[in-house]
Amino acid sequence: MTTDNRCSGVRSPLICAYACFFSGLAVAGWVEAAPKKARPAPAETPTTETAAPDPRLAISATGEMSGYYDTDKVSVGSPTIAGNVADPVAGWSVGGRYLLDAVSAASVDIVSSASGRWKELRNVGQGDIKYKPGDVSVDIAGGVSHEPDYLSLSLGGTLTLDLLDKNLVPMVAYTFGHDTAGVSTTPFEIFSRVLIKHTFRVGATIIVDPATSFDIVSDIFIERGNQAKPYRFIPLFAPGAANDLQAGASIAQVNMVRLSLRPGDALPLERNRLALTGRLSHRFSGSAFHVEERLYNDDWGLKASTTDARWVVDVGRSVLFWPHVRAHIQAPVIFWKRVYEASMGPSGAIGVPAIRTGDRELGPLHTMTLGGGLRFRLGQFGGETSWTLTVQGDTVFTKYDDALFITKRTAYFGSVALEAAID
Amino acid sequence: MLVVLAVLMAGILGACQHVSPYQRARLAHPSMTEDFSSPGAGHMTAIHEGSVGGGGAGEAGCGCN
């Protein structure tokens, strides 16, 4: 992987900013940090004005296959291809990515709606252009995601600036998103819901000392439109009829006491969200530790804390191994109810709560993720192309504290990626 | 929020030492600079957690749940 290719990934642009800077420091191959193993590190070699620039382009291509399965009978297979072309001397790069999700689901939400197994394909295309002629870097990125019943478009830009000898790299970014949701058998012209998304991001990467960096980012999300899921129908109960329904009540138990009326999901049409993320990375003599904390709040009342940590260990000169742990806890939105009760008018008319949802991810929950990965630098096999293989997996345990049908879910995720880089 | 961010950054910067380019071998190590997540993992997280969002590229409302 070339340094420029790192900048084409999905990681924070802040990290990319200084990763790109290191393109003049870290050439292909691990840069040894331990003194006993130290080779003449390129990073410690003074550059001179007479050094001839390498006129060749840096080209990389990645293929990845990932799979997902959970105990709620949802499975997803996702092949991904990505490519990047960069001219490190001129300071530009162009990248693209294509992902296909093949989803098959017979989850409790689908079964409780008396539907059969549901299958769908999602196509995702993304591209970005980056130009960094000097201390300023501009990155324009766009994406398209398409399913038979959902179309998502986005376009955004990121501006970064190198300050204080690149010890401080502030950034600002904005992304516009336009989502259209429908139902799979009906054209958008007949039925669709539009969601407009504005995302503002401001932050900085700060070099703390020769082995430590710190990222801090604030995200503001402004969303306008209907986010309710057209396929989700809410169990509705007569007043007092569901007092005995506990969290995790089965489909049969719910069906015994629910009303025949099945109103759809209904959510507020505006949502303003705010997140603050800090990320600390420290390089020890034979490993690196990354820890991230994200605090979140929105005007639907959802508050959350997410902690994510990876300890990346050097296993020899060409292998990295990392355990991964992630913990997430959230409080419910203010309109969350395990049981929504209808109101009965004097004439017998049934009143339905105006705002209602069965989306468990809007309720109180906590998750714990345990996993890890391996990255092998396979070498060049005698040619100019260097190969890197990455294998990783996670197991995600989710506990729903106040939801019907299920109270917990275990999900398994794994991926294998092979990258070829031509320098 | 911007004020909080500015104060945080000022505090952190005050505690930082100036690091010259030739001192950055450890910061340049792949274990510090490379991406160790995957697009699939990011999408899974977005589905599982109610607070994730605002990614730079479009993500549809996959009905996995």
Side-chain angles (χ1 to χ4, degrees), chain A residues 11 31 109 283 290 375, chain B residues 29 31 33-34 48 51 65:
Chain A
R11 201 177 178 186
V31 178
D109 301 301
R283 173 70 191 174
H290 305 274
R375 178 163 294 167
Chain B
H29 193 277
S31 63
T33 60
E34 291 188 355
H48 281 196
S51 64
N65 57 349

Side-chain angles (χ1 to χ4, degrees), chain A residues 376-399:
Chain A
F376 301 89
R377 177 66 56 96
L378 300 175
Q380 297 184 323
F381 301 118
E384 289 189 343
T385 304
S386 60
W387 297 85
T388 302
L389 177 69
T390 303
V391 181
Q392 58 184 310
D394 280 321
T395 301
V396 186
F397 306 95
T398 302
K399 175 77 168 61

